[in-house]
Amino acid sequence: MSDPTRGQRASSFGTRAAEYARHRPDYPRPAIEWGLSGATGTARRVLDLGAGTGKLTLGLTALGLDVTAVEPDPEMRAELERAVPSAKSLAGQAERIPLPDAAVDAVLVGQAFHWFDVPAALTEIGRVLRPGGVCVPMWNYEDESVPWVAGFTELGRDGTRRPASVEAIRELTHPAFEPFEIGRFRHAQRRTAESLVETIATYSKVIVAPPAESAALLGRLRRYLAEHPATADGEFDLPLVTTALRARRS
Ligand SMILES: C[S@@+](CC[C@H](N)C(=O)[O-])C[C@H]1O[C@@H](n2cnc3c(N)ncnc32)[C@H](O)[C@@H]1O
């Protein structure tokens, strides 16, 4: 696919906010709990940074936590405020978080950390975390150890291998943080061929591609799912792996 700038992709999601809310997966509770348990003491005040339509925010409120969500895109934030009215929602960026120093015990980031200016964001996350608090970026990826899933994701490759980019982030160091640890958590999302194609249509590279290019890709994916016995008829489980990192604020 063509190669628009990173900035274009990072700010593209709002144009598909309703579809994003309908089709993207949520995060498994064990991944969230593993992340939070990286803090010393109790993690009760939590920030969901780059919170989008509130997929991770909802998982945090379900644990009875005091949740603030920060998201720059007004359309994404509007979906979040509808879906998770109990969370406090703020406009803001990872590189300039609208919270005072040491305001939270944990900062969680779902599927957004790779869009940040990471060194600047880590400095800001370190500022809003209390000492001993924890930073937890996490990503949902299709589980490519399953053959039909590997064939499916191969069709949409843009040259980047996503687990490799998580590994690169894991290697980062920052003076405010202890080294990152990694955890992996399997889960699944109930899909049909059409709803899985709708999910892929919310990926930034599809949103920003020229319409003919994204239509061609979605067509290839639709044909693959129609021809594969695991996905041709009705509902199926899309196997997912949540890869989470956690680093304690020193
Ligand atoms: C793929 S969505 C993830 C949304 C949500 N966290 C989730 O897990 O579904 C990426 C989100 O990051 C936001 N984003 C992009 N750049 C950002 C930045 N520099 N600071 C904070 N959020 C950012 C986008 O507006 C978008 O809502």
Side-chain angles (χ1 to χ4, degrees), residues 14 31 34 44 54 73 80 85 93 98-99 111-112 116 128 134 164 189 196 238 242:
W34 177 83
R44 192 184 54 77
D73 187 291
L80 184 149
Q93 302 257 138
L99 290 179
Q111 217 82 14
F116 300 166
V128 302
V134 68
Q189 185 189 22
L196 178 49
L238 171 67
T242 299

Side-chain angles (χ1 to χ4, degrees), residues 10-14 20 24-25 27 48-56 70-73 76 92-95 109-117 138 140 202:
S11 60
S12 68
F13 298 99
Y20 191 107
R24 287 288 191 110
Y27 296 88
D48 182 1
L49 186 57
T53 62
K55 299 271 163 195
L56 179 54
V70 167
E71 164 58 41
D73 187 291
M76 297 294 267
Q93 302 257 138
E95 301 79 5
V109 183
Q111 217 82 14
F113 199 82
H114 55 289
W115 296 124
F116 300 166
D117 171 348
M138 58 175 75
N140 272 324
T202 69

Side-chain angles (χ1 to χ4, degrees), residues 45 99-105 124-131 249:
R45 301 163 305 161
L99 290 179
D101 296 359
V104 292
D105 306 308
E124 264 302 84
I125 293 169
R127 181 185 67 75
V128 302
L129 276 174
R130 54 124 170 121
R249 166 88 163 81

Side-chain angles (χ1 to χ4, degrees), residues 104-186:
V104 292
D105 306 308
V107 175
L108 289 92
V109 183
Q111 217 82 14
F113 199 82
H114 55 289
W115 296 124
F116 300 166
D117 171 348
V118 170
L122 278 175
T123 299
E124 264 302 84
I125 293 169
R127 181 185 67 75
V128 302
L129 276 174
R130 54 124 170 121
V134 68
C135 170
V136 186
M138 58 175 75
W139 293 265
N140 272 324
Y141 291 134
E142 297 88 0
D143 183 353
E144 294 178 357
S145 69
V146 177
W148 80 258
V149 179
F152 180 74
T153 56
E154 192 59 39
L155 289 175
R157 283 263 181 257
D158 59 1
T160 51
R161 296 258 158 194
R162 294 170 307 180
S165 54
V166 175
E167 284 299 332
I169 292 171
R170 182 191 179 185
E171 298 302 320
L172 291 175
T173 56
H174 186 283
F177 288 95
E178 295 175 16
F180 276 113
E181 299 173 272
I182 191 162
R184 292 190 181 82
F185 305 85
R186 285 179 195 284

